[in-house]
Amino acid sequence: MWTRVSLLLGFLLLIAPHVSLTSGPKTFGTARKGVTLKDSKEPVLLYDYRPTNHTGSIVTQMWFTGTLVWPTFGNTRISVIVDDDYVNALNFTISLLVGNGFDRPNENGWGNAHIGYTALSGGVYSSLRIPFRTHLQVFARAPKKEVVKGDKALFFMLRGIEGPPNDISLGDGITTIPSRGSHLRLHKLVNFPAKGNSYVSLYNTTKPTNGVFFMLTMQAKSGNMRYLEGRFRAEIDGQEVILSSGTEDYFLSAQYFDTGPFHTPLAGCTLVNRVVGHTFAAYRIHDYDPIMWQKSFGLSWRVGDGHWNVTTTHVSAYAWAYEWVR
């Protein structure tokens, strides 16, 4: 009898470490040094990962840096392909990912828990959670236009968790999404010529889903600053919700960003020029101030408020949200 018990205990001890390692979460990731980008039309594979656990995985951080003399580093184009879904690929430039206006070199390092830009031509990071199940690919392409000609070297880091808990925190522990079945969606405008006092759609669900709107990065340029009188509004499950009385209000500033650029954990302005170009660039993060829906969601911005002569405004925006079906 004792021999059988001993054999059973030995067997359990033998398999126990194996069970704990395969059933619990584990970290995956990579770091690439000096990846050469040659042709603006040819994507370069930065990372290709297939998890052993198909119950769910998430990317928790990405980081990008370029060679020292690279004025257009921010216009490097990144593509994240989740579960071979090329239709809903996350395609973005490094600059607008963090709301750095008009792809200009960074002048003062800044950052928060979700995004940051900490060096002259690099130190750009994002902690956006990217859920996936079976396959993750990340590609990079050089900017379409280069000031300094020649090959460029890109430095890249990525980390994530395979087999995370059922609910993923988006930052503060209050706003969570299901780790299985959630999809990060990106809706974009790129240099869109918006007529004065018109409404511009920034995000719209295409089918019934649950979801949470997480982050908006935006830049605009016009003939005057009156476009900042425009408000943001959402349509949540068919009901209108006014999100701000003006543009800079939505980004938690006031008076046309009259104190200049600023950075907080919730929002920031990376660029404003009220004299030359009439430009601004900013970001807004909704982890402490979640915008959620149960069926449908739409987000729009008005170019002015109808009381001023607003010229055509060229706007670029990245609207990020998580969607899932219960």
Side-chain angles (χ1 to χ4, degrees):
M1 176 180 177
W2 288 109
T3 301
R4 293 178 181 176
V5 172
S6 298
L7 289 172
L8 179 60
L9 289 173
F11 177 74
L12 292 174
L13 288 173
L14 180 64
I15 67 171
H18 176 72
V19 170
S20 63
L21 284 175
T22 57
S23 61
K26 66 177 182 179
T27 295
F28 64 88
T30 189
R32 301 286 306 276
K33 185 173 183 176
V35 179
T36 301
L37 303 183
K38 291 185 176 182
D39 188 342
S40 64
K41 296 181 181 179
E42 188 66 28
V44 175
L45 180 64
L46 297 178
Y47 189 51
D48 191 320
Y49 181 70
R50 295 181 183 272
T52 57
N53 184 344
H54 290 175
T55 60
S57 300
I58 56 168
V59 175
T60 55
Q61 184 169 286
M62 291 188 293
W63 170 94
F64 307 93
T65 284
T67 51
L68 185 60
V69 183
W70 191 358
T72 56
F73 158 76
N75 202 30
T76 301
R77 294 164 290 167
I78 305 298
S79 296
V80 179
I81 315 296
V82 171
D83 296 332
D84 300 315
D85 183 1
Y86 289 85
V87 173
N88 293 300
L90 306 174
N91 300 311
F92 54 87
T93 64
I94 291 175
S95 268
L96 200 52
L97 169 67
V98 297
N100 186 63
F102 298 95
D103 305 321
R104 76 195 192 288
N106 185 44
E107 297 176 357
N108 299 294
W110 60 271
N112 54 48
H114 300 288
I115 54 175
Y117 200 157
T118 61
L120 182 63
S121 292
V124 174
Y125 67 86
S126 164
S127 295
L128 279 169
R129 274 48 175 149
I130 305 177
F132 68 101
R133 290 177 62 86
T134 61
H135 194 195
L136 175 75
Q137 292 177 295
V138 182
F139 295 88
R141 284 184 294 171
K144 293 181 179 180
K145 297 181 180 180
E146 292 282 17
V147 176
V148 179
K149 302 296 182 181
D151 296 350
K152 300 297 185 297
L154 182 70
F155 299 74
F156 170 70
M157 291 190 297
L158 180 148
R159 277 191 294 277
I161 299 174
E162 184 177 323
N166 291 333
D167 293 323
I168 304 172
S169 170
L170 295 183
D172 64 351
I174 299 174
T175 307
T176 61
I177 61 171
S179 62
R180 295 157 182 81
S182 295
H183 302 279
L184 178 60
R185 300 302 191 203
L186 170 60
H187 291 204
K188 300 187 298 182
L189 289 178
V190 179
N191 201 29
F192 178 77
K195 294 182 179 179
N197 300 308
S198 65
Y199 278 97
V200 176
S201 176
L202 300 176
Y203 195 98
N204 270 297
T205 53
T206 58
K207 60 183 179 180
T209 63
N210 292 84
V212 55
F213 182 73
F214 186 69
M215 184 172 75
L216 177 71
T217 60
M218 181 176 176
Q219 66 183 35
K221 180 177 182 180
S222 190
N224 57 54
M225 298 300 287
R226 294 301 187 184
Y227 65 92
L228 291 179
E229 295 290 339
R231 66 185 184 180
F232 285 85
R233 69 178 184 183
E235 186 172 292
I236 299 174
D237 298 334
Q239 295 184 336
E240 184 182 65
V241 178
I242 304 302
L243 299 179
S244 72
S245 58
T247 301
E248 76 276 30
D249 309 3
Y250 172 77
F251 295 102
L252 303 183
S253 186
Q255 309 302 335
Y256 292 5
F257 302 104
D258 60 355
T259 61
F262 71 92
H263 299 282
T264 78
L266 302 180
C269 173
T270 62
L271 166 72
V272 61
N273 193 323
R274 303 195 299 173
V275 178
V276 179
H278 304 102
T279 58
F280 93 99
Y283 60 87
R284 178 71 162 92
I285 302 168
H286 286 281
D287 55 345
Y288 283 86
D289 174 28
I291 298 175
M292 309 184 77
W293 67 91
Q294 296 180 348
K295 295 179 181 179
S296 62
F297 173 73
L299 176 68
S300 61
W301 170 64
R302 192 176 188 187
V303 189
D305 64 358
H307 299 295
W308 303 93
N309 179 23
V310 180
T311 59
T312 296
T313 300
H314 288 80
V315 57
S316 297
Y318 288 172
W320 301 85
Y322 294 92
E323 297 183 25
W324 64 93
V325 178
R326 292 201 182 276

